[in-house]
Amino acid sequence: MMNRPSWDEYFRSIAELVATRSTCLRRKVGAVLVKDKHVLATGYNGAPSGVPHCLETGCLREKLNVPSGERHELCRALHAEQNAFLQAARYGISVLGATLYITNQPCAICAKMIINAGIKKVIYSGDYPDSFALEFLIQSGIELVKV
């Protein structure tokens, strides 16, 4: 008998694959929005479409020695969660009540977007130096699962 992955394992593995498309030199992150066992949208961290990415220009944050989790405005990239939300919006897909699978803990900016998008559950694996984000998500009542 074949050993099939659980739904959570399946969608987490998709998030890991999505992360391989990242153009970030510091951290490769993938996100998958899922509802009723169907993928709604995916996203990875990288520069906006048509804009040179860090693989081409280098990392400004590295050049300025900006620690991870700080000064997001100095980054060329959108975060994986942001790109997944924007992809869903572009194609008119509601994410209300969806589950977000992500390869790293969200930052505070993404946590606020997750809350207002109506995401009901966040399943993540890697850490991120932003305890403020976790506080937001916990206060909002979103189910958080670290694997």
Side-chain angles (χ1 to χ4, degrees), residues 128-139:
Y128 192 74
D130 193 338
S131 58
F132 197 43
L134 291 178
E135 186 179 323
F136 268 138
L137 293 168
I138 290 166
Q139 288 173 345

Side-chain angles (χ1 to χ4, degrees), residues 1-83:
M1 181 122 150
M2 192 171 159
N3 189 12
R4 295 173 69 196
S6 70
W7 285 110
D8 283 342
E9 291 168 338
Y10 174 70
F11 293 122
R12 282 191 354 251
S13 68
I14 293 172
E16 293 288 341
L17 180 62
V18 171
T20 65
R21 290 282 306 153
S22 170
T23 57
C24 181
L25 298 172
R26 284 184 153 189
R27 183 186 307 263
K28 307 248 182 250
V29 182
V32 181
L33 286 163
V34 175
K35 190 170 184 180
D36 299 326
K37 299 179 184 169
H38 289 80
V39 173
L40 302 177
T42 65
Y44 54 86
N45 55 332
S49 297
V51 175
H53 47 74
C54 297
L55 293 174
E56 299 166 320
T57 65
C59 177
L60 178 61
R61 294 166 55 80
E62 283 292 321
K63 290 175 190 166
L64 298 175
N65 294 313
V66 176
S68 183
E70 297 179 16
R71 305 287 315 272
H72 293 113
E73 75 277 7
L74 294 177
C75 182
R76 300 181 72 75
L78 290 152
H79 286 187
E81 306 95 316
Q82 295 167 350
N83 273 325

